[in-house]
Amino acid sequence: MSDRRAASPNDLRAFWMPFTANRQFKKAPRMFASADRMHYATTDGRRVLDGTAGLWCVNAGHNRPKIVQAIQRQAAELDYAPSFQMGHPGAFELANRLTDLAPEGLTHVMYANSGSEAVETALKTALAYHRARGEGGRFRLIGRERGYHGVNFGGISVGGIVSNRKMFGTLLTGVDHIRHTHDLSRNAFTVGQPEHGAELADDLERLCALHDPATIAAVIVEPMAGSTGVLLPPKGYLERLRAICDRHGILLIFDEVITGFGRVGAPFGAQRFGVTPDMIVCAKGITNGVIPMGAVLVKEAIHDAFMTGPEHLIEFFHGYTYSGNPIACAAALGTLETYAEDGLLTRALELEDYWADALHSLRSLPHVVDIRNLGLIGAVELAPIAGEPTRRAFSAFLKAYEKGYLIRTTGDIIALSPPLIISKAEIDELIGALGEVLKGLD
């Protein structure tokens, strides 16, 4: 057997990379070797300003001491403990800390290993909850067009991004989708939440009439749709969606894998938008991206519906080998401590106006058809090249990297979500560099 540890780092054949143009990448690799606070360092020694918090997840910036130390201590003390019929203190401490941060009424936590797994957990919990209450006829799950809920079968079924779904057959049955909220004709270049579109929530009533609301278990949406290109909820939209769910006895699930942990200026998007769902799905920023982890926060009534029957019986047959992994819990606790110490869960709100002004200064540049922002999130939508969708934005991504800036693209949309520690000077630097990139695009 060959010693793979001796393989050259330039041998790139074996790794089939996720969501990547593999052939293009392996012809001209872009490799990070280290990171600290706002910057990556490449294998060839260049500094790259992180304009995307890694992948929407490194909210506290890179190489934060409290997180590193928490992981080191935990690995030396308790590396693994099963969570089936056993426990360890960190999992319970973290659950308490999460419910303290959450909107009132979300009182219990289930752990997963990613946002994708946390979505599956929430969907399964919704179905099982209705059955536990004697409403097993509620089997339908409703997502939204252009929604992203991870890459497992449940997530891509309720998700609404075509490229993520089209290769995988019929997916889950009993799933439908409400309309997305993107409306360039009325809301282009809006600063913050759009004024128009609250009535789009009424599309849920159409599905209720089509399917019978007594068959619908849950609706899952991102409060702000991130991966599809930063689609903001119109003013009043989420409130209207909450009211429709209440009227028909449908659970409302917020996928806050991106909006959680300070990204929109509050611990969770639910608090920023003033709408409390029945479950919140979170991941990414829960550990600052350092260790894989996801979680689902649920309302008291959902938890209590399962707490019946003999006490020695398992109430809910669901979980993972790594649910509440000790090292992941330590990373999360170190992350929450860092957020609290630096005031990061509300810092995006403090910088929001400055960020918006900088971002919208790009409005007049070539090919720009829309700019959107909220908290420390931004999107610049570009007109596609005729017959070559995604090429213009991908070209911007490559040019930005060459200049020393990491941005993210989806379709022909450039998305930005820098670490929450970004300074005003670094905002100016990032947006200024992006402006130069846009000026040079074909």
Side-chain angles (χ1 to χ4, degrees), residues 326-355:
I327 298 176
C329 288
L333 288 166
T335 296
L336 295 184
E337 188 176 345
T338 302
Y339 290 155
E341 189 174 84
D342 291 0
L344 295 182
L345 294 182
T346 56
R347 191 165 190 270
L349 198 59
E350 299 165 12
L351 287 173
E352 184 174 60
D353 289 345
Y354 194 90
W355 172 255

Side-chain angles (χ1 to χ4, degrees), residues 191-199 232-240:
V191 177
Q193 284 185 263
E195 295 289 338
H196 307 288
E199 73 283 354
L232 302 173
K235 292 177 180 177
Y237 172 87
L238 293 173
E239 294 89 335
R240 211 151 162 171

Side-chain angles (χ1 to χ4, degrees), residues 361-362 364-368 382 396 399 403 414 431-442:
S361 71
L362 305 175
S364 62
L365 294 184
H367 314 301
V368 175
L382 305 178
K399 289 178 183 294
K403 289 178 174 289
I414 296 168
I431 302 303
L434 180 57
E436 292 304 311
V437 167
L438 294 175
K439 291 174 185 176
L441 290 181
D442 295 329

Side-chain angles (χ1 to χ4, degrees), residues 3-74:
D3 184 355
R4 299 305 302 169
R5 292 172 298 179
S8 165
N10 294 320
D11 182 354
L12 309 181
R13 293 171 296 173
F15 182 20
W16 190 347
M17 299 170 68
F19 285 101
T20 296
N22 276 254
R23 291 165 295 171
Q24 187 277 338
F25 178 91
K26 291 175 182 181
K27 287 178 179 176
R30 300 173 292 277
M31 297 284 219
F32 290 139
S34 64
D36 190 66
R37 296 190 68 85
M38 281 297 302
H39 290 84
Y40 283 104
T42 66
T43 52
D44 57 358
R46 297 190 307 118
R47 274 163 53 93
V48 176
L49 181 68
D50 186 358
T52 60
L55 198 58
W56 306 92
C57 53
V58 188
N59 290 355
H62 299 273
N63 193 27
R64 300 307 307 269
K66 287 185 182 296
I67 305 172
V68 174
Q69 292 161 12
I71 293 168
Q72 290 171 334
R73 285 194 304 268
Q74 188 62 57

Side-chain angles (χ1 to χ4, degrees), residues 211-260:
H211 297 300
D212 179 359
T215 68
I216 300 175
V219 173
I220 182 169
V221 296
E222 301 157 275
M224 180 222 72
S227 294
T228 193
V230 184
L231 308 185
L232 302 173
K235 292 177 180 177
Y237 172 87
L238 293 173
E239 294 89 335
R240 211 151 162 171
L241 202 60
R242 173 75 274 183
I244 296 169
C245 288
D246 287 344
R247 185 156 56 245
H248 296 296
I250 300 167
L251 295 180
L252 179 60
I253 304 168
F254 278 2
D255 183 338
E256 296 225 33
V257 170
I258 285 176
T259 54

